[in-house]
């Protein structure tokens, strides 16, 4: 399983603590340093079944600078949103966990982390 984290994020640290407590095997990706490209973001969105605006942190300074709250949330604007996430990875909601079976979710709660664990083949 892989988990995208920002080490400064308390939700990410909580997710890691739970994964460790459960003895899960996982790879950490510090996505602010190892930035996902547009194609990788598209793939994660497809696995999540979400649109880019669904995983965008709209309260971040970069979101305000870009005026994201005013951007249309439609198919024609999807690539623009994905480019913004790739160009400003801090805008990506976190943590995101991809289990070994391909299940992917935004793991902001203990329940979500446990769901990822249930999909992870040991």
């Amino acid at each position: 399983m892989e988990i995208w984290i920002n080490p400064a994020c308390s939700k990410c640290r909580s997710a890691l603590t739970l994964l460790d407590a459960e003895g899960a095997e996982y790879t950490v990706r510090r996505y602010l340093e190892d930035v996902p490209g547009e194609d990788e973001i598209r793939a994660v969105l497809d696995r999540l079944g979400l649109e880019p605006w669904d995983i965008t942190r709209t309260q971040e300074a970069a979101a305000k600078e870009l005026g994201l709250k005013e951007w249309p949330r439609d198919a024609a604007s999807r690539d623009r949103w994905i480019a913004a996430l790739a160009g400003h990875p801090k805008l990506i909601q976190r943590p995101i966990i991809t289990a070994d079976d391909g299940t992917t979710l935004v793991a902001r709660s203990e329940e979500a982390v446990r769901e990822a664990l249930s999909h992870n083949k040991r």
Side-chain angles (χ1 to χ4, degrees):
M1 131 171 39
E2 180 176 82
I3 181 169
W4 291 9
I5 69 154
N6 172 351
C9 167
S10 63
K11 301 262 188 211
C12 293
R13 292 191 305 271
S14 294
L16 292 176
T17 298
L18 181 55
L19 291 174
D20 289 341
E22 294 294 326
E25 291 184 23
Y26 61 91
T27 303
V28 170
R29 178 169 184 175
R30 293 178 178 222
Y31 70 92
L32 297 180
E33 299 162 16
D34 182 6
V35 179
E38 291 182 29
D39 287 342
E40 195 169 6
I41 291 170
R42 275 188 199 87
V44 164
L45 287 166
D46 288 347
R47 289 195 302 263
L48 286 168
L50 297 173
E51 292 297 336
W53 45 86
D54 295 327
I55 65 162
T56 300
R57 298 171 55 84
T58 57
Q59 298 305 312
E60 291 288 338
K64 291 176 180 161
E65 289 168 21
L66 293 168
L68 285 183
K69 285 194 175 185
E70 309 306 316
W71 288 16
R73 296 178 180 212
D74 57 25
S77 302
R78 191 172 199 262
D79 286 342
R80 182 181 182 198
W81 281 85
I82 290 169
L85 293 173
H88 305 274
K90 202 167 195 178
L91 296 175
I92 300 172
Q93 192 59 264
R94 62 197 179 235
I96 293 176
I97 298 178
T98 303
D100 291 348
D101 70 356
T103 300
T104 302
L105 40 87
V106 179
R108 295 190 53 76
S109 68
E110 181 175 330
E111 294 77 26
V113 176
R114 290 195 182 283
E115 183 178 339
L117 283 166
S118 75
H119 287 277
N120 197 48
K121 310 266 189 287
R122 294 189 188 214

